[in-house]
Amino acid sequence: MHVIEVLLPLDTGRGEPIPVETIEGLVAGLADRFGGATAYTREPADGLWKRATTIERDRIIVIEVMVEHVDDAWWSDYRHRLESEFEQESILIRATACRTL
């Protein structure tokens, strides 16, 4: 079993807020494809990273799904689609092996 986490920005690369309906549609689409999804949306997290001499900041939420097998090609295509749609240089999607208790 694996937990897939999508660290999704709440603003486009130009700083425009992503509509709530867009986020809800992404979560619903993942839930439909994988049988469930959890979106941590109440308090956006601040993503910080250093670029040259400045600190960049993104407001993000985390969307999780659990899968038996990680389809690397599908997730890579999905990441590229999100990056294009949200005008981002990079969106992080990570997979962590886990076991249910």
Side-chain angles (χ1 to χ4, degrees):
M1 185 71 67
H2 293 82
V3 175
I4 307 290
E5 296 171 297
V6 180
L7 282 67
L8 191 66
L10 294 177
D11 302 293
T12 67
R14 291 179 290 147
E16 298 171 357
I18 296 168
V20 171
E21 299 80 20
T22 301
I23 302 295
E24 290 171 346
L26 289 172
V27 175
L30 290 170
D32 185 54
R33 180 176 181 89
F34 297 104
T38 302
Y40 299 94
T41 60
R42 289 210 171 180
E43 291 294 326
D46 283 329
L48 303 174
W49 71 96
K50 187 172 183 178
R51 181 190 306 256
T53 59
T54 64
I55 299 293
E56 302 285 332
R57 175 178 303 228
D58 271 336
R59 295 179 318 126
I60 63 168
I61 61 168
V62 178
I63 303 170
E64 288 184 349
V65 298
M66 293 183 73
V67 298
E68 288 288 334
H69 170 74
V70 179
D71 183 342
D72 290 349
W74 188 89
W75 285 105
S76 179
D77 290 344
Y78 187 71
R79 180 177 53 81
H80 289 298
R81 184 169 63 90
L82 292 176
E83 289 168 346
S84 177
E85 183 176 346
F86 297 148
E87 303 172 34
Q88 296 287 325
E89 288 180 25
S90 180
I91 289 179
L92 178 62
I93 300 177
R94 61 185 176 201
T96 305
C98 70
R99 62 186 178 100
T100 56
L101 303 173

